Amino acid sequence: MTEMQQNEGNTRGGDKKMLIAMSVIGIICAFFIVITYQGTLGIITKNRAEALNKAVYKVIPGISRIQPYSLSKDKSFSVVGPDDKSQQKVFAGYDSTGTLKGIAIQASGKAYGEVLSLLYGYSPAEQKIIGFYVLESKETPGIGDKIEIPPFLDNFKGLDVSVRDDLSGLKNPITTVKQGKKTKGWEIDGITGATITSRGVGNILNTSAGEWMPLICKNKKSFEMQNTEKK
Amino acid sequence: MNPTDHSNSSDQGFFGKFAGTQATNEFLKGLWRDNPVFVQVLGMCPTLAVSNSAINALSMGLATTFVVTMSNMLISLLRNFIPKQVRIASYVLIIATFVTIIDYAIQAISIDIHKSLGAFIALIVVNCVILGRAEAFASKNPVGYSILDGLGMGLGFTFALFCIGSVREILGSGSLLGFNFMPEAFEKWVIMVLPAGGFFTLAMWLLIFNGYKLKKASHE
Protein backbone atom coordinates (compact mmCIF):
# COMPACT_ATOMS: atom_id res chain seq x y z
CA MET A 1 0.00 0.00 0.00
CA THR A 2 1.43 3.34 -1.00
CA GLU A 3 1.66 6.29 1.40
CA MET A 4 -1.00 8.15 -0.60
CA GLN A 5 -3.48 5.26 -0.30
CA GLN A 6 -2.80 5.03 3.44
CA ASN A 7 -3.46 8.80 3.90
CA GLU A 8 -6.69 8.50 1.89
CA GLY A 9 -7.83 5.65 4.14
CA ASN A 10 -7.06 7.66 7.28
CA THR A 11 -8.99 10.68 5.94
CA ARG A 12 -12.03 8.49 5.19
CA GLY A 13 -11.86 7.01 8.67
CA GLY A 14 -11.61 10.53 10.16
CA ASP A 15 -14.57 11.76 8.09
CA LYS A 16 -16.67 8.83 9.26
CA LYS A 17 -15.75 9.48 12.88
CA MET A 18 -16.65 13.16 12.56
CA LEU A 19 -19.97 12.30 10.92
CA ILE A 20 -20.84 9.80 13.64
CA ALA A 21 -19.85 12.22 16.41
CA MET A 22 -21.93 15.10 15.01
CA SER A 23 -24.92 12.80 14.41
CA VAL A 24 -24.82 11.35 17.92
CA ILE A 25 -24.49 14.83 19.49
CA GLY A 26 -27.35 16.06 17.28
CA ILE A 27 -29.59 13.19 18.43
CA ILE A 28 -28.74 13.80 22.11
CA CYS A 29 -29.45 17.54 21.74
CA ALA A 30 -32.73 16.94 19.88
CA PHE A 31 -33.82 14.53 22.62
CA PHE A 32 -33.17 17.14 25.37
CA ILE A 33 -35.02 19.87 23.44
CA VAL A 34 -38.07 17.70 22.72
CA ILE A 35 -38.33 16.56 26.36
CA THR A 36 -38.15 20.18 27.59
CA TYR A 37 -40.62 21.42 24.96
CA GLN A 38 -43.17 18.75 25.86
CA GLY A 39 -42.65 19.31 29.58
CA THR A 40 -43.11 23.08 29.49
CA LEU A 41 -45.71 23.45 26.70
CA GLY A 42 -48.75 23.40 29.02
CA ILE A 43 -47.32 25.94 31.47
CA ILE A 44 -46.07 28.25 28.71
CA THR A 45 -49.50 28.21 26.99
CA LYS A 46 -51.17 29.09 30.31
CA ASN A 47 -48.66 31.87 31.03
CA ARG A 48 -49.10 33.30 27.52
CA ALA A 49 -52.89 33.32 27.90
CA GLU A 50 -52.58 35.16 31.24
CA ALA A 51 -50.14 37.68 29.76
CA LEU A 52 -52.51 38.25 26.83
CA ASN A 53 -55.43 38.88 29.20
CA LYS A 54 -53.35 41.42 31.15
CA ALA A 55 -52.33 43.11 27.91
CA VAL A 56 -56.00 43.46 26.83
CA TYR A 57 -56.64 45.57 29.94
CA LYS A 58 -53.65 47.74 28.96
CA VAL A 59 -54.75 48.43 25.37
CA ILE A 60 -58.40 49.19 26.22
CA PRO A 61 -58.37 51.64 29.12
CA GLY A 62 -61.21 51.69 31.65
CA ILE A 63 -62.60 48.18 31.21
CA SER A 64 -63.63 45.77 33.94
CA ARG A 65 -64.53 42.67 31.91
CA ILE A 66 -63.31 41.04 28.71
CA GLN A 67 -65.03 38.60 26.39
CA PRO A 68 -63.28 36.67 23.60
CA TYR A 69 -65.06 36.41 20.23
CA SER A 70 -64.16 34.12 17.39
CA LEU A 71 -64.57 34.89 13.70
CA SER A 72 -66.54 32.14 11.98
CA LYS A 73 -66.36 31.10 8.33
CA ASP A 74 -69.44 33.20 7.44
CA LYS A 75 -67.48 36.28 8.68
CA SER A 76 -69.60 36.79 11.78
CA PHE A 77 -68.44 36.87 15.39
CA SER A 78 -69.51 34.47 18.12
CA VAL A 79 -68.75 34.29 21.84
CA VAL A 80 -66.10 31.72 22.79
CA GLY A 81 -64.64 30.54 26.09
CA PRO A 82 -61.30 31.76 27.45
CA ASP A 83 -59.63 28.47 26.49
CA ASP A 84 -60.71 28.62 22.85
CA LYS A 85 -57.73 27.91 20.59
CA SER A 86 -59.09 29.66 17.51
CA GLN A 87 -56.51 31.76 15.67
CA GLN A 88 -59.12 34.24 14.41
CA LYS A 89 -60.01 35.69 17.80
CA VAL A 90 -60.58 39.19 19.22
CA PHE A 91 -61.27 40.39 22.77
CA ALA A 92 -64.13 42.81 23.48
CA GLY A 93 -63.67 44.96 26.59
CA TYR A 94 -66.61 46.29 28.63
CA ASP A 95 -66.75 48.80 31.45
CA SER A 96 -68.59 48.25 34.74
CA THR A 97 -71.91 49.33 33.18
CA GLY A 98 -71.55 46.75 30.40
CA THR A 99 -70.80 49.30 27.68
CA LEU A 100 -68.44 48.20 24.91
CA LYS A 101 -65.27 50.29 25.29
CA GLY A 102 -63.10 48.65 22.67
CA ILE A 103 -61.85 45.52 20.96
CA ALA A 104 -58.32 44.14 21.32
CA ILE A 105 -56.79 42.50 18.26
CA GLN A 106 -53.56 40.52 17.91
CA ALA A 107 -51.33 41.18 14.91
CA SER A 108 -47.93 39.97 13.89
CA GLY A 109 -45.46 40.39 11.07
CA LYS A 110 -41.88 41.01 10.12
CA ALA A 111 -39.97 44.04 11.34
CA TYR A 112 -36.16 44.16 11.65
CA GLY A 113 -35.61 41.05 13.78
CA GLU A 114 -37.79 37.98 13.84
CA VAL A 115 -41.58 38.06 13.96
CA LEU A 116 -42.98 40.99 15.93
CA SER A 117 -46.20 40.16 17.80
CA LEU A 118 -48.48 43.04 18.82
CA LEU A 119 -51.81 43.68 20.51
CA TYR A 120 -53.79 46.84 19.81
CA GLY A 121 -57.03 48.24 21.11
CA TYR A 122 -59.69 49.53 18.70
CA SER A 123 -62.58 51.78 19.61
CA PRO A 124 -65.52 51.08 17.21
CA ALA A 125 -67.30 54.25 18.41
CA GLU A 126 -64.36 56.53 17.53
CA GLN A 127 -62.93 54.31 14.75
CA LYS A 128 -59.50 54.80 16.26
CA ILE A 129 -56.69 52.67 17.67
CA ILE A 130 -56.59 53.56 21.37
CA GLY A 131 -53.86 51.33 22.76
CA PHE A 132 -50.76 49.39 21.72
CA TYR A 133 -48.68 46.69 23.41
CA VAL A 134 -45.77 44.55 22.23
CA LEU A 135 -46.43 40.90 23.08
CA GLU A 136 -43.20 39.47 21.69
CA SER A 137 -40.22 41.13 20.12
CA LYS A 138 -36.70 40.15 19.10
CA GLU A 139 -35.85 43.65 17.86
CA THR A 140 -32.37 45.03 18.57
CA PRO A 141 -32.08 45.87 22.28
CA GLY A 142 -31.64 49.60 22.87
CA ILE A 143 -32.77 50.48 19.32
CA GLY A 144 -35.76 48.50 18.06
CA ASP A 145 -37.24 48.15 21.54
CA LYS A 146 -37.98 51.90 21.55
CA ILE A 147 -41.36 50.95 20.06
CA GLU A 148 -42.36 49.89 23.58
CA ILE A 149 -41.86 53.29 25.20
CA PRO A 150 -43.04 56.89 24.72
CA PRO A 151 -42.92 58.98 22.57
CA PHE A 152 -43.63 56.15 20.09
CA LEU A 153 -46.55 54.91 22.22
CA ASP A 154 -48.13 58.38 21.99
CA ASN A 155 -48.99 57.51 18.36
CA PHE A 156 -51.65 55.15 19.65
CA LYS A 157 -53.69 57.51 21.75
CA GLY A 158 -56.08 57.95 18.82
CA LEU A 159 -54.71 56.62 15.52
CA ASP A 160 -57.34 57.09 12.82
CA VAL A 161 -58.49 53.80 11.25
CA SER A 162 -61.80 55.01 9.76
CA VAL A 163 -63.43 52.53 7.42
CA ARG A 164 -64.79 53.38 3.94
CA ASP A 165 -68.59 53.71 3.68
CA ASP A 166 -68.85 50.51 1.62
CA LEU A 167 -66.76 48.65 4.29
CA SER A 168 -64.19 47.63 1.68
CA GLY A 169 -61.17 48.75 3.70
CA LEU A 170 -59.56 51.66 5.50
CA LYS A 171 -60.23 55.19 4.25
CA ASN A 172 -56.55 56.01 4.66
CA PRO A 173 -53.79 53.41 4.97
CA ILE A 174 -51.69 53.63 8.13
CA THR A 175 -48.27 54.93 7.19
CA THR A 176 -45.12 55.56 9.19
CA VAL A 177 -43.47 58.92 8.56
CA LYS A 178 -40.12 60.33 9.70
CA GLN A 179 -39.85 61.34 13.33
CA GLY A 180 -41.56 64.71 13.93
CA LYS A 181 -43.18 64.77 10.47
CA LYS A 182 -46.63 63.47 11.47
CA THR A 183 -49.38 65.77 10.24
CA LYS A 184 -52.36 63.46 9.72
CA GLY A 185 -54.37 61.32 12.13
CA TRP A 186 -53.54 58.04 10.38
CA GLU A 187 -49.79 58.61 10.34
CA ILE A 188 -47.33 57.09 12.81
CA ASP A 189 -44.38 59.17 13.95
CA GLY A 190 -41.38 56.93 13.29
CA ILE A 191 -38.21 56.50 15.33
CA THR A 192 -34.90 57.85 14.07
CA GLY A 193 -32.39 55.00 14.31
CA ALA A 194 -35.12 52.37 14.38
CA THR A 195 -36.68 53.17 11.02
CA ILE A 196 -37.22 49.57 9.92
CA THR A 197 -38.85 48.55 13.21
CA SER A 198 -41.20 51.55 13.31
CA ARG A 199 -42.10 51.05 9.64
CA GLY A 200 -42.67 47.37 10.42
CA VAL A 201 -45.17 48.33 13.13
CA GLY A 202 -46.97 50.60 10.64
CA ASN A 203 -47.15 47.83 8.04
CA ILE A 204 -48.35 45.22 10.53
CA LEU A 205 -51.08 47.53 11.85
CA ASN A 206 -52.13 48.60 8.34
CA THR A 207 -52.51 44.98 7.18
CA SER A 208 -54.31 43.89 10.33
CA ALA A 209 -56.59 46.94 10.57
CA GLY A 210 -57.42 46.64 6.85
CA GLU A 211 -58.66 43.09 7.46
CA TRP A 212 -60.33 43.44 10.87
CA MET A 213 -61.86 46.94 10.93
CA PRO A 214 -64.42 46.38 8.12
CA LEU A 215 -65.46 43.05 9.69
CA ILE A 216 -65.85 44.61 13.15
CA CYS A 217 -67.78 47.60 11.76
CA LYS A 218 -70.08 45.23 9.88
CA ASN A 219 -70.71 43.13 13.01
CA LYS A 220 -70.53 45.97 15.55
CA LYS A 221 -73.99 45.17 16.87
CA SER A 222 -73.12 41.56 17.65
CA PHE A 223 -70.55 42.68 20.26
CA GLU A 224 -73.11 44.96 21.93
CA MET A 225 -75.98 42.49 21.60
CA GLN A 226 -73.97 39.66 23.08
CA ASN A 227 -73.12 41.90 25.98
CA THR A 228 -76.80 42.81 26.56
CA GLU A 229 -77.67 39.11 26.51
CA LYS A 230 -74.94 38.45 29.09
CA LYS A 231 -76.37 41.11 31.40
CA MET B 1 -4.27 31.44 33.12
CA ASN B 2 -3.88 27.86 34.24
CA PRO B 3 -7.26 26.25 34.92
CA THR B 4 -5.76 23.62 37.18
CA ASP B 5 -3.62 25.96 39.22
CA HIS B 6 -4.68 25.21 42.78
CA SER B 7 -2.30 27.42 44.67
CA ASN B 8 -5.02 29.56 46.26
CA SER B 9 -5.88 28.42 49.76
CA SER B 10 -7.19 31.67 51.19
CA ASP B 11 -10.69 30.28 51.79
CA GLN B 12 -9.73 27.55 54.22
CA GLY B 13 -11.72 28.96 57.14
CA PHE B 14 -15.16 28.75 55.52
CA PHE B 15 -14.67 25.47 53.69
CA GLY B 16 -13.10 23.55 56.57
CA LYS B 17 -11.65 20.17 55.55
CA PHE B 18 -12.63 20.76 51.91
CA ALA B 19 -10.47 23.88 51.76
CA GLY B 20 -7.56 23.66 49.36
CA THR B 21 -8.90 20.52 47.69
CA GLN B 22 -9.00 20.53 43.93
CA ALA B 23 -12.82 20.44 43.90
CA THR B 24 -13.11 23.52 46.12
CA ASN B 25 -10.56 25.41 44.09
CA GLU B 26 -12.29 24.61 40.79
CA PHE B 27 -15.52 25.98 42.22
CA LEU B 28 -14.05 29.04 43.95
CA LYS B 29 -11.82 30.32 41.19
CA GLY B 30 -14.79 31.48 39.10
CA LEU B 31 -16.42 33.20 42.02
CA TRP B 32 -13.47 35.40 42.90
CA ARG B 33 -9.91 34.75 41.69
CA ASP B 34 -10.80 34.28 37.98
CA ASN B 35 -14.19 36.00 38.05
CA PRO B 36 -15.37 36.09 34.39
CA VAL B 37 -16.47 39.75 34.53
CA PHE B 38 -14.20 41.48 37.06
CA VAL B 39 -10.98 39.58 36.25
CA GLN B 40 -11.28 38.00 32.79
CA VAL B 41 -13.53 40.82 31.45
CA LEU B 42 -15.53 38.33 29.37
CA GLY B 43 -19.22 38.37 28.38
CA MET B 44 -19.36 42.16 28.34
CA CYS B 45 -22.37 42.38 25.99
CA PRO B 46 -24.95 40.85 28.39
CA THR B 47 -23.12 42.36 31.36
CA LEU B 48 -23.70 45.89 30.12
CA ALA B 49 -27.02 45.41 28.39
CA VAL B 50 -29.07 43.35 30.83
CA SER B 51 -27.80 44.80 34.10
CA ASN B 52 -30.23 47.77 34.11
CA SER B 53 -32.14 46.14 36.98
CA ALA B 54 -31.18 43.63 39.68
CA ILE B 55 -33.88 41.12 38.69
CA ASN B 56 -32.80 41.13 35.03
CA ALA B 57 -29.17 40.71 36.12
CA LEU B 58 -30.05 37.80 38.40
CA SER B 59 -32.20 36.11 35.73
CA MET B 60 -29.50 36.42 33.07
CA GLY B 61 -26.81 35.29 35.52
CA LEU B 62 -28.72 32.20 36.61
CA ALA B 63 -29.64 31.34 33.01
CA THR B 64 -25.96 31.58 32.06
CA THR B 65 -24.99 29.49 35.12
CA PHE B 66 -27.35 26.73 33.99
CA VAL B 67 -25.99 26.78 30.43
CA VAL B 68 -22.29 26.86 31.38
CA THR B 69 -22.71 24.10 34.00
CA MET B 70 -24.75 21.76 31.80
CA SER B 71 -22.65 22.34 28.68
CA ASN B 72 -19.45 21.78 30.68
CA MET B 73 -20.91 18.51 31.97
CA LEU B 74 -21.95 17.18 28.55
CA ILE B 75 -18.77 18.34 26.81
CA SER B 76 -16.65 16.71 29.49
CA LEU B 77 -18.63 13.48 29.20
CA LEU B 78 -18.14 13.43 25.43
CA ARG B 79 -14.59 14.83 25.39
CA ASN B 80 -12.97 11.59 24.24
CA PHE B 81 -15.65 10.98 21.64
CA ILE B 82 -15.63 14.39 19.88
CA PRO B 83 -12.99 14.58 17.11
CA LYS B 84 -10.68 17.59 17.34
CA GLN B 85 -11.71 18.92 13.91
CA VAL B 86 -15.39 19.32 14.81
CA ARG B 87 -15.03 20.22 18.48
CA ILE B 88 -16.08 23.88 18.17
CA ALA B 89 -19.14 22.96 16.06
CA SER B 90 -20.05 20.31 18.63
CA TYR B 91 -19.62 22.74 21.55
CA VAL B 92 -21.81 25.35 19.86
CA LEU B 93 -24.48 22.72 19.17
CA ILE B 94 -24.45 21.60 22.82
CA ILE B 95 -24.47 25.19 24.14
CA ALA B 96 -27.35 26.15 21.79
CA THR B 97 -29.32 23.15 23.07
CA PHE B 98 -29.06 24.26 26.69
CA VAL B 99 -29.89 27.85 25.71
CA THR B 100 -33.07 26.56 24.03
CA ILE B 101 -33.90 24.59 27.18
CA ILE B 102 -33.40 27.62 29.45
CA ASP B 103 -35.44 29.72 27.01
CA TYR B 104 -38.42 27.36 27.48
CA ALA B 105 -37.81 27.22 31.24
CA ILE B 106 -37.84 31.03 31.60
CA GLN B 107 -41.07 31.21 29.58
CA ALA B 108 -42.57 28.64 31.96
CA ILE B 109 -41.39 30.58 35.03
CA SER B 110 -42.31 34.11 33.96
CA ILE B 111 -43.33 35.59 30.61
CA ASP B 112 -42.48 39.07 31.95
CA ILE B 113 -38.85 38.11 32.70
CA HIS B 114 -38.63 36.41 29.29
CA LYS B 115 -39.89 39.60 27.65
CA SER B 116 -37.52 41.87 29.56
CA LEU B 117 -34.48 39.69 28.69
CA GLY B 118 -35.64 39.71 25.05
CA ALA B 119 -33.04 38.80 22.46
CA PHE B 120 -30.33 38.35 25.10
CA ILE B 121 -31.51 34.85 26.03
CA ALA B 122 -30.73 33.62 22.52
CA LEU B 123 -27.44 35.52 22.64
CA ILE B 124 -26.22 33.40 25.60
CA VAL B 125 -25.07 31.02 22.83
CA VAL B 126 -22.34 33.48 21.86
CA ASN B 127 -21.32 34.39 25.41
CA CYS B 128 -17.57 33.81 25.30
CA VAL B 129 -17.51 32.71 28.96
CA ILE B 130 -19.37 29.52 27.99
CA LEU B 131 -17.39 28.60 24.88
CA GLY B 132 -14.23 29.63 26.73
CA ARG B 133 -14.87 27.20 29.62
CA ALA B 134 -15.80 24.43 27.18
CA GLU B 135 -12.54 24.79 25.25
CA ALA B 136 -10.21 25.68 28.12
CA PHE B 137 -11.53 23.36 30.83
CA ALA B 138 -14.38 20.92 30.12
CA SER B 139 -12.70 19.39 27.06
CA LYS B 140 -9.62 18.50 29.17
CA ASN B 141 -10.96 17.64 32.62
CA PRO B 142 -13.19 15.02 34.29
CA VAL B 143 -16.96 15.53 34.63
CA GLY B 144 -17.06 16.39 38.34
CA TYR B 145 -14.46 19.16 38.10
CA SER B 146 -16.06 20.48 34.90
CA ILE B 147 -19.43 20.81 36.64
CA LEU B 148 -17.80 22.63 39.57
CA ASP B 149 -15.89 24.88 37.18
CA GLY B 150 -19.10 25.74 35.29
CA LEU B 151 -21.02 26.32 38.50
CA GLY B 152 -18.29 28.57 39.92
CA MET B 153 -17.91 30.57 36.70
CA GLY B 154 -21.69 30.90 36.33
CA LEU B 155 -22.20 32.02 39.91
CA GLY B 156 -19.25 34.42 39.58
CA PHE B 157 -20.90 35.86 36.47
CA THR B 158 -24.22 36.12 38.36
CA PHE B 159 -22.50 37.82 41.31
CA ALA B 160 -20.87 40.39 39.02
CA LEU B 161 -24.11 41.07 37.12
CA PHE B 162 -26.00 41.45 40.38
CA CYS B 163 -23.40 43.89 41.74
CA ILE B 164 -23.74 46.04 38.62
CA GLY B 165 -27.54 45.61 38.31
CA SER B 166 -28.27 46.51 41.93
CA VAL B 167 -26.23 49.75 41.80
CA ARG B 168 -27.87 50.76 38.51
CA GLU B 169 -31.37 49.99 39.82
CA ILE B 170 -30.87 51.77 43.15
CA LEU B 171 -29.51 54.94 41.55
CA GLY B 172 -31.52 54.82 38.32
CA SER B 173 -34.92 53.69 39.60
CA GLY B 174 -34.71 54.26 43.37
CA SER B 175 -35.50 50.61 44.09
CA LEU B 176 -33.89 47.19 44.54
CA LEU B 177 -35.49 44.03 43.11
CA GLY B 178 -38.59 46.15 42.46
CA PHE B 179 -38.97 47.39 46.07
CA ASN B 180 -38.94 51.18 46.37
CA PHE B 181 -37.06 52.27 49.45
CA MET B 182 -35.50 55.60 48.53
CA PRO B 183 -37.13 58.76 49.95
CA GLU B 184 -39.56 60.60 47.70
CA ALA B 185 -37.19 63.55 47.46
CA PHE B 186 -34.59 61.28 45.78
CA GLU B 187 -33.95 62.40 42.22
CA LYS B 188 -33.45 59.33 39.99
CA TRP B 189 -30.21 59.18 37.99
CA VAL B 190 -31.82 58.29 34.67
CA ILE B 191 -28.42 57.83 33.03
CA MET B 192 -27.79 54.77 35.22
CA VAL B 193 -30.50 52.71 33.48
CA LEU B 194 -29.27 53.86 30.06
CA PRO B 195 -26.32 52.09 28.32
CA ALA B 196 -23.84 54.74 29.53
CA GLY B 197 -24.76 53.90 33.14
CA GLY B 198 -23.64 50.32 32.50
CA PHE B 199 -20.14 51.50 31.54
CA PHE B 200 -19.90 53.84 34.54
CA THR B 201 -20.98 51.14 37.00
CA LEU B 202 -18.72 48.47 35.49
CA ALA B 203 -15.76 50.86 35.65
CA MET B 204 -16.54 51.64 39.29
CA TRP B 205 -16.73 47.94 40.24
CA LEU B 206 -13.51 47.14 38.33
CA LEU B 207 -11.81 49.94 40.24
CA ILE B 208 -13.03 48.62 43.60
CA PHE B 209 -12.24 44.99 42.73
CA ASN B 210 -8.73 45.63 41.44
CA GLY B 211 -7.99 48.16 44.21
CA TYR B 212 -8.89 45.54 46.81
CA LYS B 213 -6.76 42.88 45.08
CA LEU B 214 -3.77 45.21 44.87
CA LYS B 215 -4.11 46.18 48.53
CA LYS B 216 -4.35 42.52 49.52
CA ALA B 217 -1.31 41.60 47.40
CA SER B 218 0.76 44.42 48.90
CA HIS B 219 -0.10 43.25 52.45
CA GLU B 220 0.95 39.68 51.60
Side-chain angles (χ1 to χ4, degrees), chain A residues 33-47:
Chain A
I33 291 172
V34 169
I35 292 285
T36 314
Y37 176 77
Q38 290 297 336
T40 54
L41 185 62
I43 310 167
I44 292 173
T45 310
K46 187 173 152 266
N47 285 354

PDB file of all heavy atoms in Angstrom, chain A residues 33-47:
ATOM      1  N   ILE A  33     -34.127  18.759  23.815  1.00  0.00           N
ATOM      2  CA  ILE A  33     -35.020  19.870  23.439  1.00  0.00           C
ATOM      3  C   ILE A  33     -36.475  19.391  23.409  1.00  0.00           C
ATOM      4  O   ILE A  33     -37.369  20.063  23.931  1.00  0.00           O
ATOM      5  CB  ILE A  33     -34.595  20.479  22.072  1.00  0.00           C
ATOM      6  CG1 ILE A  33     -33.258  21.220  22.229  1.00  0.00           C
ATOM      7  CG2 ILE A  33     -35.655  21.435  21.548  1.00  0.00           C
ATOM      8  CD1 ILE A  33     -32.642  21.706  20.939  1.00  0.00           C
ATOM      9  N   VAL A  34     -36.700  18.219  22.819  1.00  0.00           N
ATOM     10  CA  VAL A  34     -38.072  17.699  22.715  1.00  0.00           C
ATOM     11  C   VAL A  34     -38.659  17.450  24.109  1.00  0.00           C
ATOM     12  O   VAL A  34     -39.807  17.830  24.394  1.00  0.00           O
ATOM     13  CB  VAL A  34     -38.106  16.409  21.853  1.00  0.00           C
ATOM     14  CG1 VAL A  34     -39.453  15.719  21.949  1.00  0.00           C
ATOM     15  CG2 VAL A  34     -37.791  16.742  20.403  1.00  0.00           C
ATOM     16  N   ILE A  35     -37.859  16.843  24.983  1.00  0.00           N
ATOM     17  CA  ILE A  35     -38.331  16.565  26.355  1.00  0.00           C
ATOM     18  C   ILE A  35     -38.720  17.879  27.050  1.00  0.00           C
ATOM     19  O   ILE A  35     -39.786  17.996  27.658  1.00  0.00           O
ATOM     20  CB  ILE A  35     -37.211  15.848  27.171  1.00  0.00           C
ATOM     21  CG1 ILE A  35     -36.972  14.448  26.616  1.00  0.00           C
ATOM     22  CG2 ILE A  35     -37.517  15.816  28.666  1.00  0.00           C
ATOM     23  CD1 ILE A  35     -38.032  13.437  26.955  1.00  0.00           C
ATOM     24  N   THR A  36     -37.864  18.883  26.934  1.00  0.00           N
ATOM     25  CA  THR A  36     -38.150  20.176  27.589  1.00  0.00           C
ATOM     26  C   THR A  36     -39.384  20.831  26.979  1.00  0.00           C
ATOM     27  O   THR A  36     -40.234  21.359  27.696  1.00  0.00           O
ATOM     28  CB  THR A  36     -36.945  21.142  27.445  1.00  0.00           C
ATOM     29  OG1 THR A  36     -35.770  20.428  27.759  1.00  0.00           O
ATOM     30  CG2 THR A  36     -37.065  22.335  28.351  1.00  0.00           C
ATOM     31  N   TYR A  37     -39.474  20.793  25.653  1.00  0.00           N
ATOM     32  CA  TYR A  37     -40.618  21.419  24.962  1.00  0.00           C
ATOM     33  C   TYR A  37     -41.927  20.790  25.429  1.00  0.00           C
ATOM     34  O   TYR A  37     -42.872  21.493  25.789  1.00  0.00           O
ATOM     35  CB  TYR A  37     -40.445  21.256  23.450  1.00  0.00           C
ATOM     36  CG  TYR A  37     -41.615  21.788  22.653  1.00  0.00           C
ATOM     37  CD1 TYR A  37     -41.766  23.163  22.456  1.00  0.00           C
ATOM     38  CD2 TYR A  37     -42.567  20.931  22.113  1.00  0.00           C
ATOM     39  CE1 TYR A  37     -42.841  23.659  21.745  1.00  0.00           C
ATOM     40  CE2 TYR A  37     -43.643  21.420  21.398  1.00  0.00           C
ATOM     41  CZ  TYR A  37     -43.773  22.781  21.215  1.00  0.00           C
ATOM     42  OH  TYR A  37     -44.855  23.268  20.516  1.00  0.00           O
ATOM     43  N   GLN A  38     -41.943  19.458  25.452  1.00  0.00           N
ATOM     44  CA  GLN A  38     -43.167  18.754  25.864  1.00  0.00           C
ATOM     45  C   GLN A  38     -43.487  19.030  27.332  1.00  0.00           C
ATOM     46  O   GLN A  38     -44.644  19.209  27.697  1.00  0.00           O
ATOM     47  CB  GLN A  38     -43.014  17.237  25.648  1.00  0.00           C
ATOM     48  CG  GLN A  38     -42.981  16.811  24.189  1.00  0.00           C
ATOM     49  CD  GLN A  38     -44.284  17.120  23.462  1.00  0.00           C
ATOM     50  OE1 GLN A  38     -45.322  17.234  24.058  1.00  0.00           O
ATOM     51  NE2 GLN A  38     -44.208  17.268  22.147  1.00  0.00           N
ATOM     52  N   GLY A  39     -42.447  19.099  28.149  1.00  0.00           N
ATOM     53  CA  GLY A  39     -42.651  19.308  29.580  1.00  0.00           C
ATOM     54  C   GLY A  39     -43.134  20.701  29.926  1.00  0.00           C
ATOM     55  O   GLY A  39     -43.834  20.887  30.920  1.00  0.00           O
ATOM     56  N   THR A  40     -42.759  21.692  29.136  1.00  0.00           N
ATOM     57  CA  THR A  40     -43.107  23.080  29.487  1.00  0.00           C
ATOM     58  C   THR A  40     -44.272  23.642  28.665  1.00  0.00           C
ATOM     59  O   THR A  40     -44.765  24.727  28.983  1.00  0.00           O
ATOM     60  CB  THR A  40     -41.887  24.012  29.287  1.00  0.00           C
ATOM     61  OG1 THR A  40     -41.397  23.847  27.950  1.00  0.00           O
ATOM     62  CG2 THR A  40     -40.779  23.714  30.281  1.00  0.00           C
ATOM     63  N   LEU A  41     -44.696  22.913  27.632  1.00  0.00           N
ATOM     64  CA  LEU A  41     -45.706  23.450  26.702  1.00  0.00           C
ATOM     65  C   LEU A  41     -46.979  23.909  27.421  1.00  0.00           C
ATOM     66  O   LEU A  41     -47.468  25.023  27.181  1.00  0.00           O
ATOM     67  CB  LEU A  41     -46.037  22.401  25.628  1.00  0.00           C
ATOM     68  CG  LEU A  41     -46.989  22.859  24.525  1.00  0.00           C
ATOM     69  CD1 LEU A  41     -46.389  24.008  23.730  1.00  0.00           C
ATOM     70  CD2 LEU A  41     -47.322  21.710  23.582  1.00  0.00           C
ATOM     71  N   GLY A  42     -47.503  23.072  28.317  1.00  0.00           N
ATOM     72  CA  GLY A  42     -48.750  23.395  29.023  1.00  0.00           C
ATOM     73  C   GLY A  42     -48.615  24.669  29.850  1.00  0.00           C
ATOM     74  O   GLY A  42     -49.470  25.565  29.780  1.00  0.00           O
ATOM     75  N   ILE A  43     -47.517  24.771  30.597  1.00  0.00           N
ATOM     76  CA  ILE A  43     -47.321  25.942  31.475  1.00  0.00           C
ATOM     77  C   ILE A  43     -47.121  27.206  30.628  1.00  0.00           C
ATOM     78  O   ILE A  43     -47.662  28.262  30.939  1.00  0.00           O
ATOM     79  CB  ILE A  43     -46.090  25.743  32.406  1.00  0.00           C
ATOM     80  CG1 ILE A  43     -46.179  24.390  33.102  1.00  0.00           C
ATOM     81  CG2 ILE A  43     -46.001  26.842  33.446  1.00  0.00           C
ATOM     82  CD1 ILE A  43     -44.900  23.963  33.792  1.00  0.00           C
ATOM     83  N   ILE A  44     -46.337  27.078  29.555  1.00  0.00           N
ATOM     84  CA  ILE A  44     -46.075  28.255  28.706  1.00  0.00           C
ATOM     85  C   ILE A  44     -47.376  28.752  28.079  1.00  0.00           C
ATOM     86  O   ILE A  44     -47.657  29.954  28.047  1.00  0.00           O
ATOM     87  CB  ILE A  44     -45.011  27.941  27.625  1.00  0.00           C
ATOM     88  CG1 ILE A  44     -43.646  27.719  28.278  1.00  0.00           C
ATOM     89  CG2 ILE A  44     -44.912  29.063  26.603  1.00  0.00           C
ATOM     90  CD1 ILE A  44     -42.551  27.235  27.345  1.00  0.00           C
ATOM     91  N   THR A  45     -48.215  27.817  27.606  1.00  0.00           N
ATOM     92  CA  THR A  45     -49.498  28.207  26.992  1.00  0.00           C
ATOM     93  C   THR A  45     -50.350  28.951  28.016  1.00  0.00           C
ATOM     94  O   THR A  45     -50.953  29.986  27.688  1.00  0.00           O
ATOM     95  CB  THR A  45     -50.238  26.951  26.479  1.00  0.00           C
ATOM     96  OG1 THR A  45     -49.323  26.196  25.688  1.00  0.00           O
ATOM     97  CG2 THR A  45     -51.455  27.309  25.660  1.00  0.00           C
ATOM     98  N   LYS A  46     -50.381  28.441  29.247  1.00  0.00           N
ATOM     99  CA  LYS A  46     -51.170  29.085  30.315  1.00  0.00           C
ATOM    100  C   LYS A  46     -50.608  30.476  30.624  1.00  0.00           C
ATOM    101  O   LYS A  46     -51.366  31.447  30.708  1.00  0.00           O
ATOM    102  CB  LYS A  46     -51.120  28.197  31.572  1.00  0.00           C
ATOM    103  CG  LYS A  46     -52.014  28.648  32.698  1.00  0.00           C
ATOM    104  CD  LYS A  46     -52.005  27.609  33.808  1.00  0.00           C
ATOM    105  CE  LYS A  46     -52.269  28.255  35.151  1.00  0.00           C
ATOM    106  NZ  LYS A  46     -51.106  28.620  35.900  1.00  0.00           N
ATOM    107  N   ASN A  47     -49.290  30.579  30.746  1.00  0.00           N
ATOM    108  CA  ASN A  47     -48.661  31.875  31.028  1.00  0.00           C
ATOM    109  C   ASN A  47     -48.924  32.886  29.914  1.00  0.00           C
ATOM    110  O   ASN A  47     -49.170  34.055  30.171  1.00  0.00           O
ATOM    111  CB  ASN A  47     -47.140  31.710  31.188  1.00  0.00           C
ATOM    112  CG  ASN A  47     -46.773  31.085  32.509  1.00  0.00           C
ATOM    113  OD1 ASN A  47     -47.633  30.868  33.349  1.00  0.00           O
ATOM    114  ND2 ASN A  47     -45.502  30.767  32.692  1.00  0.00           N
TER     115      ASN A  47
END
